[in-house]
Amino acid sequence: MAEASWDDLQLFHVVAEAGGLSGAAARTGISAPTIGRRMLALERTLGRSLFLRSQRGYQLAHDGRELLKRVQRMREAASDIADWHAEAFALPFVTIATDCWLSPLIADNLGEVRQKGDRFRICCSSEGASADLAFRAADVVVLAKRPESGNIAVLPSVAMAYAVYRPKTAGSEDLAWISLGTAAASEPRDRYVFENFEGAIMTWTEDRHLLPRLVISGAGKAVLPVWVGDGLSELEREGEVIEALTHPLFIVAHDDDRHRREVRLVIERLAALLKNNAAQLAGRSGDDRAGIQ
């Protein structure tokens, strides 16, 4: 069964409102004979009489009034979709994906990444290495490993260091270890504790964000990024930076996307933000230390 086209239904709406072909022709710029032929074809397609035709014009028949109600609902829905579409695409957006340890640094300094007057939106994600650039899961990704393949552009950045942290209230007490669970431990920094101190682990979690809070609570000691641990007044380092865990950061974007103005700006500003915080990230900060809330 043939279906009426949306164009013909909208033209029907104009004819119904105008009360005839002449008025519809004036509104649309389509000739009256053409409109008349299309309305006749619409009636045949629907198998219903829509108009009472006379010298006084086109009056709606019963089925015409019923169709008009339905077309009005369709127009309202179409208008709603158009508004929704306009809102979604009024401004371009850039998705930034980082390691969960870095996402608070990005959030705390978002004003440096998207500056006043910028005509783009930002989506912040902590997917990190799991963000698949091939499928555009993110526009810009900060990774701990340089990707080996793919149609990507890579910008080397600063180094990120780690150390063991314990609560200051513990004094010289020998503490048990807190570790990430093996299911969440995908990187050397995540595996360090259970690979070296498995027998002394008394608490573990699958959520990295819980590690500093567990240390603060007195559950034990854990390996944290130095920019996180140094920024928490309740914690202190136990020993020096673990050099074996220090790794570089790489800002990565799909090669096709990096030329978009908003993506290029985000890459440049992320690079500057990381460079400005290089000392904190590497554990060389003095009194001016960034931290998490």
Side-chain angles (χ1 to χ4, degrees):
M1 180 178 66
E3 293 186 1
S5 74
W6 178 231
D7 286 344
D8 283 345
L9 291 172
Q10 292 195 91
L11 186 56
F12 161 79
H13 187 272
V14 176
V15 174
E17 282 195 332
L21 302 184
S22 298
R27 293 188 187 185
T28 64
I30 304 172
S31 69
T34 298
I35 296 174
R37 287 192 295 270
R38 286 177 62 177
M39 292 302 96
L40 183 60
L42 178 61
E43 287 179 317
R44 290 172 178 169
T45 297
L46 297 174
R48 296 176 182 271
S49 296
L50 303 176
F51 300 101
L52 299 174
R53 296 167 174 85
S54 69
Q55 292 182 346
R56 291 179 299 174
Y58 275 42
Q59 302 297 316
L60 288 178
H62 172 75
D63 283 342
R65 292 193 294 271
E66 290 300 316
L67 178 61
L68 181 60
K69 295 176 185 177
R70 289 163 172 77
V71 172
Q72 287 171 336
R73 290 198 294 268
M74 292 174 68
R75 286 168 59 85
E76 290 171 1
S79 177
D80 185 55
I81 291 171
D83 291 343
W84 172 73
H85 180 272
E87 290 174 3
F89 294 96
L91 292 175
F93 66 90
V94 180
T95 299
I96 305 172
T98 64
D99 178 281
C100 78
W101 290 126
L102 273 178
S103 55
L105 179 66
I106 306 300
D108 289 347
N109 296 277
L110 191 61
E112 296 182 30
V113 180
R114 184 188 59 213
Q115 299 176 5
K116 187 176 181 180
D118 284 338
R119 299 292 295 166
F120 61 87
R121 297 170 292 164
I122 291 285
C123 173
C124 296
S125 167
S126 57
E127 294 181 53
S130 66
D132 194 335
L133 284 168
F135 292 96
R136 303 298 206 277
D139 298 300
V140 182
V141 185
V142 182
L143 299 175
K145 291 182 180 179
R146 187 186 187 103
E148 299 298 329
S149 61
N151 184 30
I152 54 176
V154 181
L155 178 65
S157 187
V158 301
M160 189 165 172
Y162 300 80
V164 177
Y165 287 85
R166 57 189 286 127
K168 286 182 179 179
T169 56
S172 60
E173 179 185 353
D174 186 21
L175 300 176
W177 283 93
I178 306 168
S179 175
L180 274 179
T182 55
S186 57
E187 302 294 335
R189 60 200 172 169
D190 303 329
R191 301 191 297 268
Y192 179 82
V193 175
F194 71 73
E195 286 182 348
N196 292 278
F197 308 101
E198 184 176 7
I201 296 172
M202 298 300 292
T203 308
W204 65 89
T205 178
E206 303 294 338
D207 186 346
R208 290 174 179 82
H209 286 122
L210 290 181
L211 281 176
R213 287 156 177 79
L214 287 169
V215 178
I216 291 172
S217 74
K221 56 188 177 183
V223 172
L224 300 173
V226 291
W227 90 268
V228 174
D230 286 355
L232 294 169
S233 59
E234 302 94 332
L235 302 184
E236 62 183 4
R237 287 194 207 177
E238 181 178 285
E240 301 299 321
V241 165
I242 305 171
E243 296 295 342
L245 299 184
T246 300
H247 62 76
L249 294 171
F250 299 92
I251 302 172
V252 184
H254 197 280
D255 199 47
D256 294 338
D257 289 335
R258 70 186 176 99
H259 300 293
R260 289 166 46 199
R261 181 178 181 277
E262 60 272 14
V263 172
R264 185 177 70 253
L265 282 174
V266 168
I267 292 172
E268 292 172 356
R269 291 169 183 174
L270 270 179
L273 173 62
L274 293 175
K275 183 177 180 180
N276 290 340
N277 287 274
Q280 291 94 321
L281 289 165
R284 300 191 304 272
S285 58
D287 294 332
D288 182 18
R289 292 171 174 170
I292 65 174
Q293 300 300 317

